[in-house]
Amino acid sequence: SPSLLALFNDASLDRRGEFFFYMHRQMLNRYKVERLTHGLAEIQSLTPDTWDKPLPLGYFPKLGAESGTAYQGRPDNLAMADLTTLPLSLLEEWYLNIQTVIKNKKVVTAEGSEINLQASQGRDEGISVLGDIVEALNSVNGQLYGSLHNLGHVFIAQATDPRGRHL
């Protein structure tokens, strides 16, 4: 619905990054339970060491975007590759930078100052900042942390045509 889309694209929404993490955790938990219910194997994490390996399970959504453009299917065992405008290694760089944030519990802003990821008065103040960095909406340092989540979707979606010859 348009109102839901507007809600999740509102960078000024208090705790938006936290909602981003919560929603993705809920989706993955539901997916895990559904797979176990149907006797399927657990899902494997998609991490930099697997990004250039074949994705074993294809995907044929039979869905389209709001604009009417159909989402592309992906056959079994297709690997992600460099796109014409972005190397796959850039995702890994962003991933490692975000891992450093988590390990050190602090974020470096575009101006060079630091934001500590901490809890204050029983409220996790860091998860929203971290969520904004991972999704890259309202990120405090887009150059350093990039667009891991959003462009990760793009790399997976364009695995069938990474050079964009058939779009």
mmCIF file with all atom_site columns, all heavy atoms in Angstrom, residues 16-37:
data_model
loop_
_atom_site.group_PDB
_atom_site.id
_atom_site.type_symbol
_atom_site.label_atom_id
_atom_site.label_alt_id
_atom_site.label_comp_id
_atom_site.label_asym_id
_atom_site.label_entity_id
_atom_site.label_seq_id
_atom_site.pdbx_PDB_ins_code
_atom_site.Cartn_x
_atom_site.Cartn_y
_atom_site.Cartn_z
_atom_site.occupancy
_atom_site.B_iso_or_equiv
_atom_site.pdbx_formal_charge
_atom_site.auth_seq_id
_atom_site.auth_comp_id
_atom_site.auth_asym_id
_atom_site.auth_atom_id
_atom_site.pdbx_PDB_model_num
ATOM 1   N N   . ARG A 1 16 ? 13.483 4.187   12.894 1.00 0.00 ? 16 ARG A N   1
ATOM 2   C CA  . ARG A 1 16 ? 13.262 3.537   11.610 1.00 0.00 ? 16 ARG A CA  1
ATOM 3   C C   . ARG A 1 16 ? 14.263 2.416   11.362 1.00 0.00 ? 16 ARG A C   1
ATOM 4   O O   . ARG A 1 16 ? 13.915 1.346   10.894 1.00 0.00 ? 16 ARG A O   1
ATOM 5   C CB  . ARG A 1 16 ? 13.306 4.573   10.470 1.00 0.00 ? 16 ARG A CB  1
ATOM 6   C CG  . ARG A 1 16 ? 12.541 4.133   9.243  1.00 0.00 ? 16 ARG A CG  1
ATOM 7   C CD  . ARG A 1 16 ? 13.125 4.732   7.986  1.00 0.00 ? 16 ARG A CD  1
ATOM 8   N NE  . ARG A 1 16 ? 14.513 4.404   7.839  1.00 0.00 ? 16 ARG A NE  1
ATOM 9   C CZ  . ARG A 1 16 ? 14.950 3.205   7.439  1.00 0.00 ? 16 ARG A CZ  1
ATOM 10  N NH1 . ARG A 1 16 ? 14.125 2.266   7.122  1.00 0.00 ? 16 ARG A NH1 1
ATOM 11  N NH2 . ARG A 1 16 ? 16.232 2.975   7.377  1.00 0.00 ? 16 ARG A NH2 1
ATOM 12  N N   . GLY A 1 17 ? 15.537 2.648   11.675 1.00 0.00 ? 17 GLY A N   1
ATOM 13  C CA  . GLY A 1 17 ? 16.555 1.614   11.498 1.00 0.00 ? 17 GLY A CA  1
ATOM 14  C C   . GLY A 1 17 ? 16.279 0.391   12.359 1.00 0.00 ? 17 GLY A C   1
ATOM 15  O O   . GLY A 1 17 ? 16.520 -0.749  11.956 1.00 0.00 ? 17 GLY A O   1
ATOM 16  N N   . GLU A 1 18 ? 15.747 0.615   13.555 1.00 0.00 ? 18 GLU A N   1
ATOM 17  C CA  . GLU A 1 18 ? 15.364 -0.494  14.431 1.00 0.00 ? 18 GLU A CA  1
ATOM 18  C C   . GLU A 1 18 ? 14.226 -1.293  13.803 1.00 0.00 ? 18 GLU A C   1
ATOM 19  O O   . GLU A 1 18 ? 14.234 -2.528  13.810 1.00 0.00 ? 18 GLU A O   1
ATOM 20  C CB  . GLU A 1 18 ? 14.941 0.048   15.795 1.00 0.00 ? 18 GLU A CB  1
ATOM 21  C CG  . GLU A 1 18 ? 14.528 -1.031  16.779 1.00 0.00 ? 18 GLU A CG  1
ATOM 22  C CD  . GLU A 1 18 ? 14.087 -0.463  18.117 1.00 0.00 ? 18 GLU A CD  1
ATOM 23  O OE1 . GLU A 1 18 ? 14.263 0.744   18.376 1.00 0.00 ? 18 GLU A OE1 1
ATOM 24  O OE2 . GLU A 1 18 ? 13.565 -1.254  18.931 1.00 0.00 ? 18 GLU A OE2 1
ATOM 25  N N   . PHE A 1 19 ? 13.240 -0.594  13.236 1.00 0.00 ? 19 PHE A N   1
ATOM 26  C CA  . PHE A 1 19 ? 12.133 -1.283  12.561 1.00 0.00 ? 19 PHE A CA  1
ATOM 27  C C   . PHE A 1 19 ? 12.633 -2.105  11.379 1.00 0.00 ? 19 PHE A C   1
ATOM 28  O O   . PHE A 1 19 ? 12.130 -3.187  11.105 1.00 0.00 ? 19 PHE A O   1
ATOM 29  C CB  . PHE A 1 19 ? 11.070 -0.280  12.089 1.00 0.00 ? 19 PHE A CB  1
ATOM 30  C CG  . PHE A 1 19 ? 10.347 0.415   13.200 1.00 0.00 ? 19 PHE A CG  1
ATOM 31  C CD1 . PHE A 1 19 ? 10.053 1.763   13.105 1.00 0.00 ? 19 PHE A CD1 1
ATOM 32  C CD2 . PHE A 1 19 ? 9.961  -0.263  14.345 1.00 0.00 ? 19 PHE A CD2 1
ATOM 33  C CE1 . PHE A 1 19 ? 9.394  2.421   14.127 1.00 0.00 ? 19 PHE A CE1 1
ATOM 34  C CE2 . PHE A 1 19 ? 9.296  0.380   15.367 1.00 0.00 ? 19 PHE A CE2 1
ATOM 35  C CZ  . PHE A 1 19 ? 9.012  1.724   15.266 1.00 0.00 ? 19 PHE A CZ  1
ATOM 36  N N   . PHE A 1 20 ? 13.625 -1.572  10.671 1.00 0.00 ? 20 PHE A N   1
ATOM 37  C CA  . PHE A 1 20 ? 14.228 -2.283  9.544  1.00 0.00 ? 20 PHE A CA  1
ATOM 38  C C   . PHE A 1 20 ? 14.779 -3.636  10.009 1.00 0.00 ? 20 PHE A C   1
ATOM 39  O O   . PHE A 1 20 ? 14.490 -4.674  9.423  1.00 0.00 ? 20 PHE A O   1
ATOM 40  C CB  . PHE A 1 20 ? 15.333 -1.426  8.925  1.00 0.00 ? 20 PHE A CB  1
ATOM 41  C CG  . PHE A 1 20 ? 16.224 -2.161  7.972  1.00 0.00 ? 20 PHE A CG  1
ATOM 42  C CD1 . PHE A 1 20 ? 15.821 -2.385  6.666  1.00 0.00 ? 20 PHE A CD1 1
ATOM 43  C CD2 . PHE A 1 20 ? 17.468 -2.615  8.372  1.00 0.00 ? 20 PHE A CD2 1
ATOM 44  C CE1 . PHE A 1 20 ? 16.650 -3.058  5.776  1.00 0.00 ? 20 PHE A CE1 1
ATOM 45  C CE2 . PHE A 1 20 ? 18.298 -3.289  7.505  1.00 0.00 ? 20 PHE A CE2 1
ATOM 46  C CZ  . PHE A 1 20 ? 17.892 -3.514  6.195  1.00 0.00 ? 20 PHE A CZ  1
ATOM 47  N N   . PHE A 1 21 ? 15.554 -3.628  11.090 1.00 0.00 ? 21 PHE A N   1
ATOM 48  C CA  . PHE A 1 21 ? 16.118 -4.883  11.614 1.00 0.00 ? 21 PHE A CA  1
ATOM 49  C C   . PHE A 1 21 ? 15.020 -5.813  12.113 1.00 0.00 ? 21 PHE A C   1
ATOM 50  O O   . PHE A 1 21 ? 15.035 -7.012  11.843 1.00 0.00 ? 21 PHE A O   1
ATOM 51  C CB  . PHE A 1 21 ? 17.114 -4.623  12.753 1.00 0.00 ? 21 PHE A CB  1
ATOM 52  C CG  . PHE A 1 21 ? 18.526 -4.506  12.280 1.00 0.00 ? 21 PHE A CG  1
ATOM 53  C CD1 . PHE A 1 21 ? 19.219 -3.336  12.443 1.00 0.00 ? 21 PHE A CD1 1
ATOM 54  C CD2 . PHE A 1 21 ? 19.171 -5.568  11.670 1.00 0.00 ? 21 PHE A CD2 1
ATOM 55  C CE1 . PHE A 1 21 ? 20.525 -3.214  12.005 1.00 0.00 ? 21 PHE A CE1 1
ATOM 56  C CE2 . PHE A 1 21 ? 20.465 -5.469  11.225 1.00 0.00 ? 21 PHE A CE2 1
ATOM 57  C CZ  . PHE A 1 21 ? 21.143 -4.285  11.395 1.00 0.00 ? 21 PHE A CZ  1
ATOM 58  N N   . TYR A 1 22 ? 14.068 -5.269  12.847 1.00 0.00 ? 22 TYR A N   1
ATOM 59  C CA  . TYR A 1 22 ? 12.989 -6.084  13.402 1.00 0.00 ? 22 TYR A CA  1
ATOM 60  C C   . TYR A 1 22 ? 12.197 -6.770  12.294 1.00 0.00 ? 22 TYR A C   1
ATOM 61  O O   . TYR A 1 22 ? 11.923 -7.962  12.343 1.00 0.00 ? 22 TYR A O   1
ATOM 62  C CB  . TYR A 1 22 ? 12.067 -5.212  14.268 1.00 0.00 ? 22 TYR A CB  1
ATOM 63  C CG  . TYR A 1 22 ? 10.883 -5.954  14.810 1.00 0.00 ? 22 TYR A CG  1
ATOM 64  C CD1 . TYR A 1 22 ? 11.022 -6.800  15.906 1.00 0.00 ? 22 TYR A CD1 1
ATOM 65  C CD2 . TYR A 1 22 ? 9.625  -5.834  14.221 1.00 0.00 ? 22 TYR A CD2 1
ATOM 66  C CE1 . TYR A 1 22 ? 9.932  -7.499  16.400 1.00 0.00 ? 22 TYR A CE1 1
ATOM 67  C CE2 . TYR A 1 22 ? 8.541  -6.531  14.713 1.00 0.00 ? 22 TYR A CE2 1
ATOM 68  C CZ  . TYR A 1 22 ? 8.704  -7.363  15.799 1.00 0.00 ? 22 TYR A CZ  1
ATOM 69  O OH  . TYR A 1 22 ? 7.625  -8.056  16.288 1.00 0.00 ? 22 TYR A OH  1
ATOM 70  N N   . MET A 1 23 ? 11.832 -6.018  11.254 1.00 0.00 ? 23 MET A N   1
ATOM 71  C CA  . MET A 1 23 ? 11.046 -6.567  10.165 1.00 0.00 ? 23 MET A CA  1
ATOM 72  C C   . MET A 1 23 ? 11.810 -7.675  9.441  1.00 0.00 ? 23 MET A C   1
ATOM 73  O O   . MET A 1 23 ? 11.262 -8.735  9.143  1.00 0.00 ? 23 MET A O   1
ATOM 74  C CB  . MET A 1 23 ? 10.670 -5.454  9.179  1.00 0.00 ? 23 MET A CB  1
ATOM 75  C CG  . MET A 1 23 ? 9.762  -5.881  8.048  1.00 0.00 ? 23 MET A CG  1
ATOM 76  S SD  . MET A 1 23 ? 10.611 -6.345  6.518  1.00 0.00 ? 23 MET A SD  1
ATOM 77  C CE  . MET A 1 23 ? 11.541 -4.914  6.109  1.00 0.00 ? 23 MET A CE  1
ATOM 78  N N   . HIS A 1 24 ? 13.095 -7.468  9.203  1.00 0.00 ? 24 HIS A N   1
ATOM 79  C CA  . HIS A 1 24 ? 13.876 -8.497  8.511  1.00 0.00 ? 24 HIS A CA  1
ATOM 80  C C   . HIS A 1 24 ? 14.070 -9.736  9.391  1.00 0.00 ? 24 HIS A C   1
ATOM 81  O O   . HIS A 1 24 ? 14.026 -10.860 8.893  1.00 0.00 ? 24 HIS A O   1
ATOM 82  C CB  . HIS A 1 24 ? 15.216 -7.931  8.048  1.00 0.00 ? 24 HIS A CB  1
ATOM 83  C CG  . HIS A 1 24 ? 15.079 -7.129  6.792  1.00 0.00 ? 24 HIS A CG  1
ATOM 84  N ND1 . HIS A 1 24 ? 14.647 -5.827  6.812  1.00 0.00 ? 24 HIS A ND1 1
ATOM 85  C CD2 . HIS A 1 24 ? 15.269 -7.453  5.497  1.00 0.00 ? 24 HIS A CD2 1
ATOM 86  C CE1 . HIS A 1 24 ? 14.595 -5.394  5.567  1.00 0.00 ? 24 HIS A CE1 1
ATOM 87  N NE2 . HIS A 1 24 ? 14.959 -6.356  4.742  1.00 0.00 ? 24 HIS A NE2 1
ATOM 88  N N   . ARG A 1 25 ? 14.253 -9.517  10.671 1.00 0.00 ? 25 ARG A N   1
ATOM 89  C CA  . ARG A 1 25 ? 14.376 -10.667 11.575 1.00 0.00 ? 25 ARG A CA  1
ATOM 90  C C   . ARG A 1 25 ? 13.086 -11.478 11.589 1.00 0.00 ? 25 ARG A C   1
ATOM 91  O O   . ARG A 1 25 ? 13.095 -12.705 11.547 1.00 0.00 ? 25 ARG A O   1
ATOM 92  C CB  . ARG A 1 25 ? 14.719 -10.209 12.986 1.00 0.00 ? 25 ARG A CB  1
ATOM 93  C CG  . ARG A 1 25 ? 14.737 -11.389 13.975 1.00 0.00 ? 25 ARG A CG  1
ATOM 94  C CD  . ARG A 1 25 ? 15.213 -10.993 15.318 1.00 0.00 ? 25 ARG A CD  1
ATOM 95  N NE  . ARG A 1 25 ? 16.653 -10.960 15.233 1.00 0.00 ? 25 ARG A NE  1
ATOM 96  C CZ  . ARG A 1 25 ? 17.440 -10.471 16.177 1.00 0.00 ? 25 ARG A CZ  1
ATOM 97  N NH1 . ARG A 1 25 ? 16.903 -9.956  17.254 1.00 0.00 ? 25 ARG A NH1 1
ATOM 98  N NH2 . ARG A 1 25 ? 18.729 -10.496 16.054 1.00 0.00 ? 25 ARG A NH2 1
ATOM 99  N N   . GLN A 1 26 ? 11.953 -10.796 11.633 1.00 0.00 ? 26 GLN A N   1
ATOM 100 C CA  . GLN A 1 26 ? 10.661 -11.483 11.618 1.00 0.00 ? 26 GLN A CA  1
ATOM 101 C C   . GLN A 1 26 ? 10.456 -12.264 10.321 1.00 0.00 ? 26 GLN A C   1
ATOM 102 O O   . GLN A 1 26 ? 9.988  -13.405 10.339 1.00 0.00 ? 26 GLN A O   1
ATOM 103 C CB  . GLN A 1 26 ? 9.516  -10.489 11.811 1.00 0.00 ? 26 GLN A CB  1
ATOM 104 C CG  . GLN A 1 26 ? 9.463  -9.869  13.194 1.00 0.00 ? 26 GLN A CG  1
ATOM 105 C CD  . GLN A 1 26 ? 9.279  -10.917 14.283 1.00 0.00 ? 26 GLN A CD  1
ATOM 106 O OE1 . GLN A 1 26 ? 10.234 -11.370 14.891 1.00 0.00 ? 26 GLN A OE1 1
ATOM 107 N NE2 . GLN A 1 26 ? 8.058  -11.304 14.525 1.00 0.00 ? 26 GLN A NE2 1
ATOM 108 N N   . MET A 1 27 ? 10.799 -11.652 9.188  1.00 0.00 ? 27 MET A N   1
ATOM 109 C CA  . MET A 1 27 ? 10.650 -12.350 7.901  1.00 0.00 ? 27 MET A CA  1
ATOM 110 C C   . MET A 1 27 ? 11.519 -13.603 7.848  1.00 0.00 ? 27 MET A C   1
ATOM 111 O O   . MET A 1 27 ? 11.066 -14.662 7.406  1.00 0.00 ? 27 MET A O   1
ATOM 112 C CB  . MET A 1 27 ? 11.038 -11.428 6.740  1.00 0.00 ? 27 MET A CB  1
ATOM 113 C CG  . MET A 1 27 ? 9.980  -10.449 6.360  1.00 0.00 ? 27 MET A CG  1
ATOM 114 S SD  . MET A 1 27 ? 10.266 -9.579  4.804  1.00 0.00 ? 27 MET A SD  1
ATOM 115 C CE  . MET A 1 27 ? 12.013 -9.501  4.621  1.00 0.00 ? 27 MET A CE  1
ATOM 116 N N   . LEU A 1 28 ? 12.770 -13.481 8.281  1.00 0.00 ? 28 LEU A N   1
ATOM 117 C CA  . LEU A 1 28 ? 13.670 -14.641 8.245  1.00 0.00 ? 28 LEU A CA  1
ATOM 118 C C   . LEU A 1 28 ? 13.218 -15.729 9.213  1.00 0.00 ? 28 LEU A C   1
ATOM 119 O O   . LEU A 1 28 ? 13.284 -16.918 8.883  1.00 0.00 ? 28 LEU A O   1
ATOM 120 C CB  . LEU A 1 28 ? 15.106 -14.215 8.548  1.00 0.00 ? 28 LEU A CB  1
ATOM 121 C CG  . LEU A 1 28 ? 15.815 -13.494 7.413  1.00 0.00 ? 28 LEU A CG  1
ATOM 122 C CD1 . LEU A 1 28 ? 17.143 -12.930 7.874  1.00 0.00 ? 28 LEU A CD1 1
ATOM 123 C CD2 . LEU A 1 28 ? 15.994 -14.408 6.216  1.00 0.00 ? 28 LEU A CD2 1
ATOM 124 N N   . ASN A 1 29 ? 12.759 -15.334 10.392 1.00 0.00 ? 29 ASN A N   1
ATOM 125 C CA  . ASN A 1 29 ? 12.265 -16.339 11.340 1.00 0.00 ? 29 ASN A CA  1
ATOM 126 C C   . ASN A 1 29 ? 11.062 -17.081 10.773 1.00 0.00 ? 29 ASN A C   1
ATOM 127 O O   . ASN A 1 29 ? 10.957 -18.307 10.893 1.00 0.00 ? 29 ASN A O   1
ATOM 128 C CB  . ASN A 1 29 ? 11.914 -15.699 12.685 1.00 0.00 ? 29 ASN A CB  1
ATOM 129 C CG  . ASN A 1 29 ? 13.145 -15.364 13.490 1.00 0.00 ? 29 ASN A CG  1
ATOM 130 O OD1 . ASN A 1 29 ? 14.227 -15.899 13.256 1.00 0.00 ? 29 ASN A OD1 1
ATOM 131 N ND2 . ASN A 1 29 ? 12.995 -14.462 14.436 1.00 0.00 ? 29 ASN A ND2 1
ATOM 132 N N   . ARG A 1 30 ? 10.164 -16.364 10.153 1.00 0.00 ? 30 ARG A N   1
ATOM 133 C CA  . ARG A 1 30 ? 9.000  -17.023 9.557  1.00 0.00 ? 30 ARG A CA  1
ATOM 134 C C   . ARG A 1 30 ? 9.435  -17.966 8.439  1.00 0.00 ? 30 ARG A C   1
ATOM 135 O O   . ARG A 1 30 ? 8.935  -19.082 8.329  1.00 0.00 ? 30 ARG A O   1
ATOM 136 C CB  . ARG A 1 30 ? 8.019  -15.992 9.022  1.00 0.00 ? 30 ARG A CB  1
ATOM 137 C CG  . ARG A 1 30 ? 6.834  -16.683 8.376  1.00 0.00 ? 30 ARG A CG  1
ATOM 138 C CD  . ARG A 1 30 ? 5.739  -15.778 8.010  1.00 0.00 ? 30 ARG A CD  1
ATOM 139 N NE  . ARG A 1 30 ? 4.693  -16.577 7.381  1.00 0.00 ? 30 ARG A NE  1
ATOM 140 C CZ  . ARG A 1 30 ? 3.456  -16.236 7.319  1.00 0.00 ? 30 ARG A CZ  1
ATOM 141 N NH1 . ARG A 1 30 ? 3.070  -15.116 7.886  1.00 0.00 ? 30 ARG A NH1 1
ATOM 142 N NH2 . ARG A 1 30 ? 2.585  -16.991 6.715  1.00 0.00 ? 30 ARG A NH2 1
ATOM 143 N N   . TYR A 1 31 ? 10.347 -17.518 7.603  1.00 0.00 ? 31 TYR A N   1
ATOM 144 C CA  . TYR A 1 31 ? 10.848 -18.349 6.510  1.00 0.00 ? 31 TYR A CA  1
ATOM 145 C C   . TYR A 1 31 ? 11.509 -19.617 7.059  1.00 0.00 ? 31 TYR A C   1
ATOM 146 O O   . TYR A 1 31 ? 11.281 -20.714 6.553  1.00 0.00 ? 31 TYR A O   1
ATOM 147 C CB  . TYR A 1 31 ? 11.826 -17.532 5.662  1.00 0.00 ? 31 TYR A CB  1
ATOM 148 C CG  . TYR A 1 31 ? 12.337 -18.240 4.439  1.00 0.00 ? 31 TYR A CG  1
ATOM 149 C CD1 . TYR A 1 31 ? 11.458 -18.706 3.459  1.00 0.00 ? 31 TYR A CD1 1
ATOM 150 C CD2 . TYR A 1 31 ? 13.697 -18.423 4.235  1.00 0.00 ? 31 TYR A CD2 1
ATOM 151 C CE1 . TYR A 1 31 ? 11.929 -19.350 2.329  1.00 0.00 ? 31 TYR A CE1 1
ATOM 152 C CE2 . TYR A 1 31 ? 14.172 -19.059 3.105  1.00 0.00 ? 31 TYR A CE2 1
ATOM 153 C CZ  . TYR A 1 31 ? 13.290 -19.517 2.156  1.00 0.00 ? 31 TYR A CZ  1
ATOM 154 O OH  . TYR A 1 31 ? 13.762 -20.145 1.033  1.00 0.00 ? 31 TYR A OH  1
ATOM 155 N N   . LYS A 1 32 ? 12.317 -19.466 8.108  1.00 0.00 ? 32 LYS A N   1
ATOM 156 C CA  . LYS A 1 32 ? 12.971 -20.631 8.730  1.00 0.00 ? 32 LYS A CA  1
ATOM 157 C C   . LYS A 1 32 ? 11.939 -21.630 9.243  1.00 0.00 ? 32 LYS A C   1
ATOM 158 O O   . LYS A 1 32 ? 12.060 -22.835 9.027  1.00 0.00 ? 32 LYS A O   1
ATOM 159 C CB  . LYS A 1 32 ? 13.876 -20.184 9.881  1.00 0.00 ? 32 LYS A CB  1
ATOM 160 C CG  . LYS A 1 32 ? 15.118 -19.466 9.453  1.00 0.00 ? 32 LYS A CG  1
ATOM 161 C CD  . LYS A 1 32 ? 15.882 -18.975 10.683 1.00 0.00 ? 32 LYS A CD  1
ATOM 162 C CE  . LYS A 1 32 ? 17.040 -18.097 10.305 1.00 0.00 ? 32 LYS A CE  1
ATOM 163 N NZ  . LYS A 1 32 ? 17.756 -17.601 11.490 1.00 0.00 ? 32 LYS A NZ  1
ATOM 164 N N   . VAL A 1 33 ? 10.922 -21.137 9.942  1.00 0.00 ? 33 VAL A N   1
ATOM 165 C CA  . VAL A 1 33 ? 9.886  -22.012 10.495 1.00 0.00 ? 33 VAL A CA  1
ATOM 166 C C   . VAL A 1 33 ? 9.123  -22.716 9.374  1.00 0.00 ? 33 VAL A C   1
ATOM 167 O O   . VAL A 1 33 ? 8.850  -23.928 9.453  1.00 0.00 ? 33 VAL A O   1
ATOM 168 C CB  . VAL A 1 33 ? 8.919  -21.226 11.411 1.00 0.00 ? 33 VAL A CB  1
ATOM 169 C CG1 . VAL A 1 33 ? 7.688  -22.034 11.756 1.00 0.00 ? 33 VAL A CG1 1
ATOM 170 C CG2 . VAL A 1 33 ? 9.642  -20.787 12.684 1.00 0.00 ? 33 VAL A CG2 1
ATOM 171 N N   . GLU A 1 34 ? 8.776  -21.985 8.331  1.00 0.00 ? 34 GLU A N   1
ATOM 172 C CA  . GLU A 1 34 ? 8.057  -22.600 7.216  1.00 0.00 ? 34 GLU A CA  1
ATOM 173 C C   . GLU A 1 34 ? 8.900  -23.693 6.550  1.00 0.00 ? 34 GLU A C   1
ATOM 174 O O   . GLU A 1 34 ? 8.389  -24.750 6.195  1.00 0.00 ? 34 GLU A O   1
ATOM 175 C CB  . GLU A 1 34 ? 7.644  -21.540 6.196  1.00 0.00 ? 34 GLU A CB  1
ATOM 176 C CG  . GLU A 1 34 ? 6.493  -20.690 6.707  1.00 0.00 ? 34 GLU A CG  1
ATOM 177 C CD  . GLU A 1 34 ? 6.025  -19.645 5.706  1.00 0.00 ? 34 GLU A CD  1
ATOM 178 O OE1 . GLU A 1 34 ? 6.487  -19.665 4.542  1.00 0.00 ? 34 GLU A OE1 1
ATOM 179 O OE2 . GLU A 1 34 ? 5.201  -18.808 6.096  1.00 0.00 ? 34 GLU A OE2 1
ATOM 180 N N   . ARG A 1 35 ? 10.178 -23.451 6.391  1.00 0.00 ? 35 ARG A N   1
ATOM 181 C CA  . ARG A 1 35 ? 11.054 -24.476 5.787  1.00 0.00 ? 35 ARG A CA  1
ATOM 182 C C   . ARG A 1 35 ? 11.121 -25.715 6.681  1.00 0.00 ? 35 ARG A C   1
ATOM 183 O O   . ARG A 1 35 ? 11.016 -26.840 6.203  1.00 0.00 ? 35 ARG A O   1
ATOM 184 C CB  . ARG A 1 35 ? 12.456 -23.921 5.543  1.00 0.00 ? 35 ARG A CB  1
ATOM 185 C CG  . ARG A 1 35 ? 12.513 -22.915 4.391  1.00 0.00 ? 35 ARG A CG  1
ATOM 186 C CD  . ARG A 1 35 ? 13.930 -22.479 4.108  1.00 0.00 ? 35 ARG A CD  1
ATOM 187 N NE  . ARG A 1 35 ? 14.792 -23.574 3.715  1.00 0.00 ? 35 ARG A NE  1
ATOM 188 C CZ  . ARG A 1 35 ? 14.899 -24.046 2.474  1.00 0.00 ? 35 ARG A CZ  1
ATOM 189 N NH1 . ARG A 1 35 ? 14.180 -23.513 1.504  1.00 0.00 ? 35 ARG A NH1 1
ATOM 190 N NH2 . ARG A 1 35 ? 15.723 -25.031 2.203  1.00 0.00 ? 35 ARG A NH2 1
ATOM 191 N N   . LEU A 1 36 ? 11.296 -25.506 7.971  1.00 0.00 ? 36 LEU A N   1
ATOM 192 C CA  . LEU A 1 36 ? 11.355 -26.647 8.904  1.00 0.00 ? 36 LEU A CA  1
ATOM 193 C C   . LEU A 1 36 ? 10.031 -27.408 8.915  1.00 0.00 ? 36 LEU A C   1
ATOM 194 O O   . LEU A 1 36 ? 10.005 -28.638 8.958  1.00 0.00 ? 36 LEU A O   1
ATOM 195 C CB  . LEU A 1 36 ? 11.721 -26.163 10.307 1.00 0.00 ? 36 LEU A CB  1
ATOM 196 C CG  . LEU A 1 36 ? 13.151 -25.645 10.476 1.00 0.00 ? 36 LEU A CG  1
ATOM 197 C CD1 . LEU A 1 36 ? 13.331 -25.031 11.863 1.00 0.00 ? 36 LEU A CD1 1
ATOM 198 C CD2 . LEU A 1 36 ? 14.170 -26.748 10.242 1.00 0.00 ? 36 LEU A CD2 1
ATOM 199 N N   . THR A 1 37 ? 8.918  -26.685 8.874  1.00 0.00 ? 37 THR A N   1
ATOM 200 C CA  . THR A 1 37 ? 7.594  -27.302 8.855  1.00 0.00 ? 37 THR A CA  1
ATOM 201 C C   . THR A 1 37 ? 7.418  -28.221 7.652  1.00 0.00 ? 37 THR A C   1
ATOM 202 O O   . THR A 1 37 ? 6.768  -29.254 7.736  1.00 0.00 ? 37 THR A O   1
ATOM 203 C CB  . THR A 1 37 ? 6.502  -26.213 8.847  1.00 0.00 ? 37 THR A CB  1
ATOM 204 O OG1 . THR A 1 37 ? 6.668  -25.398 10.001 1.00 0.00 ? 37 THR A OG1 1
ATOM 205 C CG2 . THR A 1 37 ? 5.115  -26.800 8.854  1.00 0.00 ? 37 THR A CG2 1
#
